[in-house]
Amino acid sequence: RPSEYTSPTLDQVFPTLGGLSLELRHMATLHLVAKYIEMVPYLSHDYLTRKEQASLAFKCIYLEFSRGETYTKHPRYGRGVMVMKQGSCISLGLVGSRIIREARCLKTYSIDNPIAVNDTLVEDSFLGGNEPLYRFMSYSLVVFIPQSAIFEVLKDKKMAWKNCARWRYLRTCLVKWSRDRNDGVHMANCSGREA
């Protein structure tokens, strides 16, 4: 799991930002992070102004992972959207309180590929104790947008929720419902064979 010293903020990665005027800080921030924020549809310039994106950028965290490291959620910031800046990882499925449920098909993420864009929208309680599990295949640097920052934006930007995020939320709920339903049928079939 990433520790606090591997979770620097934009100000910590680029300490010279602190010496700039507010307008220059916003411009510099956009040049550094806007590309990654734009990859998340409900945080794109279609719904957020450049100033709002710059404010969100200061809530982003940089995470580093070594080869073979696994990750479920940040110990301090929880779940969120990750965008690979360098490296690659694979989704291994869901890890619960007792077991790892294998993914139906492994998904690979590489540079400039956002991770958990839809899953971040659902509350932790909705996952029922399960969390997505990722394994990094090489040294990786990730721009992490915390779930709390996303929820804060969506609370203020009703159109981002109405036109984009709610449909992704619904899709995530339907996928989980289908998976849970199929697992229930599979479990019933397995217990029927044992009898």
Side-chain angles (χ1 to χ4, degrees), residues 1-2 5-6 63-71 84 86-89 134-142:
R1 293 191 166 212
Y5 66 87
T6 61
L63 301 178
E64 294 178 298
F65 298 95
S66 59
R67 181 176 175 256
E69 191 169 353
T70 58
Y71 175 84
M84 302 294 292
Q86 178 182 344
S88 59
C89 77
Y134 304 98
R135 179 175 302 266
F136 291 84
M137 299 182 296
S138 62
Y139 166 79
S140 299
L141 179 61
V142 172

Side-chain angles (χ1 to χ4, degrees), residues 59-97:
K59 296 175 184 172
C60 293
I61 310 297
Y62 284 83
L63 301 178
E64 294 178 298
F65 298 95
S66 59
R67 181 176 175 256
E69 191 169 353
T70 58
Y71 175 84
T72 55
K73 68 179 182 179
H74 193 280
R76 180 173 174 194
Y77 299 104
R79 294 184 307 115
V81 173
M82 298 185 293
V83 182
M84 302 294 292
K85 190 170 181 182
Q86 178 182 344
S88 59
C89 77
I90 57 174
S91 172
L92 297 175
L94 296 174
V95 61
S97 54

Side-chain angles (χ1 to χ4, degrees), residues 29-43:
T29 300
L30 287 173
H31 285 292
L32 294 169
V33 184
K35 169 185 173 182
Y36 306 106
I37 292 173
E38 281 291 325
M39 291 179 190
V40 182
Y42 46 84
L43 301 177

Side-chain angles (χ1 to χ4, degrees), residues 76-141:
R76 180 173 174 194
Y77 299 104
R79 294 184 307 115
V81 173
M82 298 185 293
V83 182
M84 302 294 292
K85 190 170 181 182
Q86 178 182 344
S88 59
C89 77
I90 57 174
S91 172
L92 297 175
L94 296 174
V95 61
S97 54
R98 294 170 284 158
I99 59 168
I100 294 177
R101 292 171 43 188
E102 292 183 24
R104 304 273 190 269
C105 62
L106 297 177
K107 182 159 182 175
T108 305
Y109 297 94
S110 58
I111 295 174
D112 294 344
N113 197 345
I115 303 169
V117 171
N118 297 344
D119 296 343
T120 297
L121 295 170
V122 298
E123 301 81 3
D124 289 341
S125 60
F126 180 78
L127 296 176
N130 293 315
E131 296 172 341
L133 178 65
Y134 304 98
R135 179 175 302 266
F136 291 84
M137 299 182 296
S138 62
Y139 166 79
S140 299
L141 179 61

